[in-house]
Amino acid sequence: MDFSPPSVHRGLEHDPQWYRRAVFYEVMVRAFYDADGDGVGDIPGLISKLDYLEWLGIDALWLPPFYSSPLRDGGYDVADFRQVLPEFGTIDDFGELVSQAHARNMRIVMDLPLNHTSVEHAWFVSSRSDPQGPYGDYYVWSDTDKIREQIRVIFTDTEESNWAFDSVRRQFYFHRFFSHQPDLNYHNPKVHDEIHDIARFWLDMGVDGFRLDAVPYLYESDEGSGESEPETHEFLERFRAFIDAEFPGRVLIAEANQWPREVAAYLGTEEKPQCHMAFDFPIMPRIFYALRSQQTASLNAVLKETTEVPSGAAWGVFLRNHDELTLEMVTEEERQALYGWYAYDPRMRVNVGIRRRLAPLLDNSRSELQLAHALLLSLAGSPFLYYGDEIGMGDNIWLEDRDSSRTPMQWTPDRNAGFSSADAGKLFLPVVQSLVYNYQSANVETQLAQQASLLHWVRTMVHVRKNHPVFGVGSMTVVPTDSPSALAFIRDMPASECRPGERPETVLCVYSFSHNPLAVSLTLPEEFRANKVTDVFGGSTFPAPSEQGHITLALPPQSFYWLSLAGVKASVT
Ligand code: NOJ
């Protein structure tokens, strides 16, 4: 496989708002490529695959935790925030990754699990044995577990309470996730100083930002829900001010699995910004709902609700990631329907969600995979792809918890899918060998050899999106249609968003979730009435809208159009 880079690397472009135009790729170091043959992916292995990611069109990597950790929660149980887990490599390897990525104009965003640590972290070891010592107040301790009982349990499959008894300190400690992950005490200002110092340590090494893990849960109170409490937002305002003052151009991304208005709050306001980006949790499950129900009402409603954000802020949109497909942000009725369609085997469920990968969820249907990706790449916000989804990788529901969709990347049809030269039994997780998603057919090399493969299609789409910055920085206006199975919106990039050499652009995106052919009629809002409509891909001219802006489009089952609108009044000014 040859992804030879250009002989001269471009280096990092200066753009303080780079994240608004970026295509992100979530890659677990452990699962991507094993360079030293010990059965575990590592940082040198990831470095050796940067050419592939550059070829794919990726602008930024999101790396889940690679810190020193007992790995009882995929590394989100951090034992030392300043050490790289030895099996993943060294701190020098990480420095090399940053510089090699930057040489390719690719950014590195790392996870910062700032809500909790592992029980093995030195702070906790000290806190439990020395309550009066310097770390005594770093965690949330209580003599009773009968307080804050209103705070919901998140990992419902494994935990019954948010409190665990510590036999050394003989007190209870609070934990929002696993009981081996005690929550840090944000009422203690020393914890803030620690988090700032840790952030500074990595920012000094050149990382381009952090995904702030589990950020709604930083503060809890006796009466509150323990989610999005006001002090959490105040902490974020200060954290953002620190980034802006010392590290402008680096990005903070909120992982806040909350309802639309609450997620938007993590972006803050014009005067008091918080994170630069927030993952759009409410949209994601509604895409899956629309694919099966053939109804877009719920997707439409949530799209209308989330479009207002402070200038410079951006949504992070995604289909899948390393966690379960969470169903927390849908109605009970939608949740039951989603379980019925996508998790008909109880093994497919975990907590309040579904632990499967994209291709198996969509039953490997090419039209559904294309529809879902096209929507992802055109929504307001920056898309986050999950490693392996570009080749339609499968999952393994016989593995525990979310490991089902964290298996080794499938590079070739050879031993261990080309991921590692280790004995197969030594791999950190087995490669997928199921009938449909067997690595011998689903792998990068095979798909490279086939022009019509999903991999080539995804790559083309990523590049088309990048050639039309309107998808990154344009505004979004939902346009009503006459069909309950259709979704339409307009992306519009005004002159004020254009860089030198770019022109204002307006694109109409129309999606049919119907399983049958569909005629869709819509009326373009007055400010977007065009006199010429052309296909973004091939450039062919479509029938012009009527004087009243009326258009009817015929769509094959589960398909879409991206149509350029020329002569739009709003953009001409
Ligand atoms: C959010 C992470 O995405 C998830 O993988 C992890 O289990 C929880 N935080 C708890 O650490």
Side-chain angles (χ1 to χ4, degrees):
M1 282 181 284
D2 185 16
F3 301 102
S4 306
S7 50
V8 179
H9 282 308
R10 291 174 287 165
L12 211 53
E13 268 169 33
H14 174 73
D15 177 5
Q17 293 195 352
W18 59 271
Y19 53 89
R20 295 179 67 209
R21 292 168 176 238
V23 175
F24 287 78
Y25 186 92
E26 181 191 3
V27 54
M28 307 192 81
V29 168
R30 198 183 191 196
F32 210 49
Y33 186 68
D34 171 18
D36 62 4
D38 66 351
V40 178
D42 42 45
I43 296 173
L46 174 55
I47 294 173
S48 72
K49 296 297 184 189
L50 287 177
D51 289 342
Y52 165 73
L53 296 167
E54 185 181 15
W55 171 86
L56 192 56
I58 302 304
D59 302 297
L61 303 183
W62 155 28
L63 308 182
F66 50 84
Y67 310 92
S68 166
S69 159
L71 294 184
R72 294 171 71 189
D73 179 22
Y76 285 92
D77 46 335
V78 179
D80 186 336
F81 285 100
R82 289 183 177 79
Q83 295 287 332
V84 172
L85 188 71
E87 62 197 68
F88 293 169
T90 63
I91 199 95
D92 288 345
D93 291 335
F94 182 72
E96 180 65 12
L97 172 68
V98 172
S99 61
Q100 293 265 0
H102 285 179
R104 292 165 173 80
N105 195 25
M106 200 183 282
R107 260 93 177 175
I108 301 283
V109 171
M110 58 189 280
D111 237 296
L112 185 58
L114 71 174
N115 176 67
H116 46 262
T117 70
S118 160
V119 282
E120 292 185 20
H121 196 292
W123 299 338
F124 190 73
V125 173
S126 170
S127 197
R128 54 193 300 228
S129 58
D130 186 6
Q132 307 310 322
Y135 301 101
D137 202 21
Y138 267 42
Y139 295 86
V140 182
W141 293 102
S142 164
D143 289 330
T144 169
D145 59 354
K146 300 285 171 263
I147 55 168
R148 303 182 180 174
E149 287 179 299
Q150 75 284 4
I151 298 181
R152 76 184 169 111
V153 170
I154 296 173
F155 283 170
T156 48
D157 282 7
T158 36
E159 304 298 334
E160 281 176 5
S161 157
N162 289 317
W163 293 103
F165 186 70
D166 179 55
S167 55
V168 175
R169 181 155 161 163
R170 305 209 61 76
Q171 275 189 310
F172 294 90
Y173 61 87
F174 188 80
H175 60 89
R176 264 333 270 285
F177 295 94
F178 290 120
S179 57
H180 57 75
Q181 281 168 321
D183 271 37
L184 286 162
N185 176 16
Y186 273 80
H187 290 284
N188 179 354
K190 285 194 202 137
V191 168
H192 300 200
D193 295 344
E194 298 278 9
I195 296 297
H196 278 72
D197 287 351
I198 292 161
R200 199 176 276 117
F201 174 83
W202 293 101
L203 292 164
D204 280 341
M205 285 199 69
V207 299
D208 300 286
F210 299 110
R211 166 191 181 268
L212 300 182
D213 177 65
V215 75
Y217 315 114
L218 301 187
Y219 278 87
E220 49 279 322
S221 57
D222 287 349
E223 303 76 30
S225 68
E227 302 188 14
S228 307
E229 298 212 0
E231 289 144 309
T232 295
H233 287 292
E234 287 159 22
F235 169 82
L236 286 174
E237 284 169 12
R238 292 193 298 274
F239 200 54
R240 169 66 180 265
F242 147 71
I243 296 285
D244 284 350
E246 294 186 33
F247 299 97
R250 318 293 177 94
V251 68
L252 298 176
I253 309 175
E255 188 228 2
N257 185 0
Q258 307 276 303
W259 293 97
R261 224 159 267 140
E262 276 103 72
V263 196
Y266 284 88
L267 299 168
T269 59
E270 289 300 335
E271 300 72 38
K272 291 190 175 168
Q274 295 177 30
C275 294
H276 303 76
M277 299 183 75
F279 284 110
D280 199 328
F281 279 93
I283 284 187
M284 181 273 300
R286 289 172 174 77
I287 298 175
F288 289 94
Y289 186 84
L291 282 165
R292 284 288 175 279
S293 67
Q294 307 177 59
Q295 304 287 313
T296 56
S298 171
L299 190 53
N300 255 306
V302 83
L303 281 176
K304 280 191 201 145
E305 208 175 330
T306 51
T307 44
E308 289 301 318
V309 297
S311 57
W315 293 106
V317 287
F318 62 100
L319 295 168
R320 291 295 294 115
N321 60 24
H322 68 285
D323 282 328
E324 68 274 28
L325 189 173
T326 164
L327 300 181
E328 283 174 23
M329 296 305 133
V330 292
T331 63
E332 185 55 32
E333 200 184 331
E334 287 168 332
R335 188 174 305 127
Q336 291 313 323
L338 285 158
Y339 274 138
W341 290 318
Y342 293 109
Y344 39 85
D345 180 332
R347 289 199 76 85
M348 295 170 175
R349 303 181 188 186
V350 68
N351 303 320
V352 188
I354 304 175
R355 55 191 201 100
R356 301 181 72 196
R357 263 193 181 266
L358 185 64
L361 281 164
L362 304 187
D363 202 20
N364 218 16
S365 153
R366 183 67 183 263
S367 55
E368 289 190 9
L369 286 165
Q370 293 191 177
L371 179 59
H373 273 104
L375 184 56
L376 177 77
L377 293 168
S378 61
L379 283 169
S382 302
F384 282 69
L385 306 177
Y386 183 49
Y387 85 93
D389 282 350
E390 73 274 25
I391 54 167
M393 239 170 85
D395 51 34
N396 182 349
I397 57 167
W398 304 99
L399 297 173
E400 291 297 310
D401 196 358
R402 292 152 292 169
D403 279 352
S404 50
S405 45
R406 299 176 181 178
T407 59
M409 178 70 177
Q410 296 169 192
W411 295 102
T412 71
D414 306 327
R415 174 157 57 113
N416 299 329
F419 160 75
S420 168
S421 61
D423 185 307
K426 210 179 163 193
L427 297 193
F428 77 98
L429 287 177
V431 294
V432 171
Q433 313 212 31
S434 65
L435 195 57
V436 179
Y437 305 95
N438 196 306
Y439 68 88
Q440 281 159 347
S441 51
N443 64 71
V444 172
E445 190 179 38
T446 302
Q447 296 206 12
L448 270 178
Q450 192 193 357
Q451 278 306 315
S453 64
L454 182 66
L455 176 60
H456 279 295
W457 186 88
V458 169
R459 177 181 186 250
T460 302
M461 290 295 286
V462 165
H463 281 84
V464 170
R465 177 195 153 99
K466 284 158 62 108
N467 287 336
H468 295 269
V470 61
F471 289 119
V473 296
S475 63
M476 173 162 172
T477 307
V478 176
V479 182
T481 76
D482 66 342
S483 167
S485 299
L487 170 70
F489 51 80
I490 289 176
R491 304 297 315 272
D492 180 57
M493 182 170 83
S496 56
E497 290 283 5
C498 293
R499 287 177 179 167
E502 290 176 354
R503 282 189 305 177
E505 191 180 7
T506 310
V507 176
L508 169 67
C509 302
V510 185
Y511 298 88
S512 168
F513 287 83
S514 172
H515 297 179
N516 296 296
L518 189 73
V520 178
S521 294
L522 55 88
T523 304
L524 295 171
E526 202 166 343
E527 66 272 32
F528 298 119
R529 299 242 163 111
N531 50 31
K532 195 169 177 201
V533 178
T534 52
D535 172 45
V536 164
F537 300 93
S540 79
T541 303
F542 273 53
S546 72
E547 249 176 55
Q548 294 73 37
H550 193 77
I551 301 189
T552 297
L553 297 161
L555 287 110
Q558 299 182 310
S559 64
F560 69 97
Y561 288 125
W562 288 358
L563 301 170
S564 241
L565 303 181
V568 168
K569 283 186 230 152
S571 292
V572 171
T573 51

